[in-house]
Amino acid sequence: MPTDLKQLAALLKLSPTTVSRALNGYSDVSEATRQRVAEAAKAAGYEPSPAARRLAIGRADAVGIVYPVEADFMGNPLFLEMIGGVSDRLDGAGYDVLLAVARKKTELRTYERLVRGRRVDGLIVAHTRVKDERIDFLRGTQMPFIGYGRTSECDDFPWLDFDNEACTRLAMNELTARGHRRIAYIHSPLNLNFAQQRYDGYLKAMAAAGLVVNPEHVLTGGHDRRGGYEATKRLLALADTRPTAILVDSNLCGVGTVRALLQAGIAIGTEMSVIVIDGLPVDTPLYDQDIAAIAQPTAHASGWTMADMLLKLIEGKPLDEPRVLKQPQFVNGRSLGLAPT
Amino acid sequence: MPTDLKQLAALLKLSPTTVSRALNGYSDVSEATRQRVAEAAKAAGYEPSPAARRLAIGRADAVGIVYPVEADFMGNPLFLEMIGGVSDRLDGAGYDVLLAVARKKTELRTYERLVRGRRVDGLIVAHTRVKDERIDFLRGTQMPFIGYGRTSECDDFPWLDFDNEACTRLAMNELTARGHRRIAYIHSPLNLNFAQQRYDGYLKAMAAAGLVVNPEHVLTGGHDRRGGYEATKRLLALADTRPTAILVDSNLCGVGTVRALLQAGIAIGTEMSVIVIDGLPVDTPLYDQDIAAIAQPTAHASGWTMADMLLKLIEGKPLDEPRVLKQPQFVNGRSLGLAPT
DNA sequence: TTGTATGCGTTATCAG
DNA sequence: CTGATAACGCATACAA
């Protein structure tokens, strides 16, 4: 079984050159030989050596995703889903997915390794922060990349993100329209750009509604279920100033919030209204609680789109839409009611 | 800035050969030049081209992990944690981690691509099934691999796994010792090897205790929280034959089970005893429910160990322990009590 | 201790 | 339409 281009060529009594061109679909090879070569290759189970290919072509045929563990050490299920979307797009194009797990300390060096060594043809930068040195680094290189999220200054690089301010604005509209005035806000760490933007949206909406923010009503929920749970318990402990509605800026925290409410015996939708941005994960038994949500395109779809953008960039094609801002949608649920009087 | 070995050599007035050897820590190069080269390389930010290196050396300097999405489409947080462990071991060794997301349909082809194209030097096969064609395929190749889990026949390949029968045996001992006789069992899909083995352990333990298995007490919980939740609801609906204890074979299902019990107002530990294998994930607010568990080494540690084994295999070193069977430990909790009389 | 020549498997250039 | 020849960037016998 020929494992080699040379051997395959010898077998076919052709030159390696011709075989190579036949396999790569060049126009200047007769249809007859193309067929013959293709069959022989498949029969022999021939796979070109990526290393040699890369060396000759100068491309890595790989895309990198750097996963910062500290940000989310337990593993956000949405992250794997996003990677699934990326893979689905890249698979047919013959690209590999390099997953680099980086501690905060070594993160930048990881990027340097990938870029300098041309280990990848492009990168997807997830978990963007308000001020993000990874983006700063990539700006100075020729390496194509897509931000999965924006940064504070983001007009000069391509990204895909959700309209985060709109997320909170939309949610706040629904709440104020129902008469809520004491609206609590549970958020992710504010160095993450999406969290900061959603938080801004909350503040602006409060101001627009003529409401004063009670500092006790704004709590960080960390990245996980547990954080949301504890933040909510603190809110419930407020005697006189207990909020009548809670807005949660991410799905995992949302689970914790709903848990805490159920456990405390609070009637969701009457005693306490709840909106969770991104909605609850479908794998939770709470899913049937029918919690109102701000819905985004799925992580899978986002991954697919980003991979598609990245491929265009790698091929040197211009991006018709270099900055993709997905608009959120309000999804009603039984967790929403009029403010108690 | 030299991006080339040749350029770097020219800069140093040395031959590329010498520079190469200096960088790769060969013995036959003077300490003085080694220093000089190392500094110059760092100063110039030189990174050797992996493609060229791979072609010359014949190694990929990469390890592959194939993630089957169907098995667990929402993304098990433990999976990312395991990858983190793999990366931590591999990082210093200069290996990349290739993550291939595979649909069941294309799974085998993915393996072929990785192996035939020598895209990786070794593989980690996760989610092993009782009868696993991926393992069968790899057996026929020279590609080193480690099973993250066993298969029905597994004496001829290296793996890391938990003693699954011991998991259920341990748990069952605790339950029968407390007088439980109606012990329900919620399990993952039985085509997964770990699920089958744990199930076997359950059956054996029941027999050993002289108990008869009630078919209504054995339910599949799927892979997620939701499945565990629904299975538990079905158990609670049993009027006369309601179990007094529930054993759950995986962590995510366990969350659902505890949820269902709390929601139904069941007193955990008195009305119903619960043991969850792997314990509840720490990011759940239920963590303080203090559920009894069968504890395993962390996914991170497992990943690290497997990567370590794989490196040895790649380097041709013999494995002193080719089959690593981790012993589980019983961890008591308030979820365990005497059987109600 | 260092340098020269050659090869890794593929693609690209340039003739036929 | 096809074939010889030279890269791609690095590592390694072998020679000096």
Side-chain angles (χ1 to χ4, degrees), chain B residues 167-296:
Chain B
C167 285
T168 31
R169 190 189 333 123
L170 231 65
M172 290 296 288
N173 283 350
E174 299 292 333
L175 293 171
T176 52
R178 285 170 177 77
H180 291 279
R181 301 180 56 78
R182 293 206 298 275
I183 303 171
Y185 187 65
I186 298 179
H187 62 77
S188 303
L190 291 179
N191 69 324
L192 296 174
N193 192 68
F194 85 88
Q196 179 63 53
Q197 289 187 322
R198 290 179 187 177
Y199 181 52
D200 289 344
Y202 166 75
L203 294 181
K204 285 184 189 168
M206 286 292 279
L211 299 174
V212 176
V213 175
N214 179 341
E216 289 181 320
H217 286 175
V218 177
L219 294 168
T220 176
H223 324 265
D224 59 13
R225 293 172 166 83
R226 194 122 195 236
Y229 177 77
E230 278 157 12
T232 305
K233 287 222 308 202
R234 283 208 294 284
L235 289 176
L236 294 180
L238 298 175
D240 306 331
T241 59
R242 182 192 273 191
T244 65
I246 304 178
L247 175 55
V248 188
D249 87 341
S250 75
N251 53 356
L252 292 185
C253 282
V255 174
T257 292
V258 174
R259 285 300 164 212
L261 293 174
L262 288 178
Q263 180 175 313
I266 307 283
I268 297 178
T270 53
E271 266 183 281
M272 183 72 78
S273 288
V274 177
I275 301 183
V276 175
I277 299 182
D278 282 348
L280 297 192
V282 292
D283 78 326
T284 166
L286 286 180
Y287 197 64
D288 53 14
Q289 283 285 324
D290 193 21
I291 302 295
I294 303 296
Q296 318 267 23

Side-chain angles (χ1 to χ4, degrees), chain A residues 29 34 38 42 62 98 103 126 131 154 164 169 183 226 243 249 252 273-274 277 286 306 319 327:
Chain A
V29 57
R34 179 199 310 295
K42 197 169 57 181
L98 224 67
R103 315 277 153 199
K131 179 87 187 65
C154 57
N164 291 305
R169 191 189 333 121
I183 303 172
R226 192 120 197 237
D249 87 340
L252 291 185
S273 288
V274 177
I277 299 182
L286 286 182
M306 287 191 294
L319 244 41
Q327 286 304 320

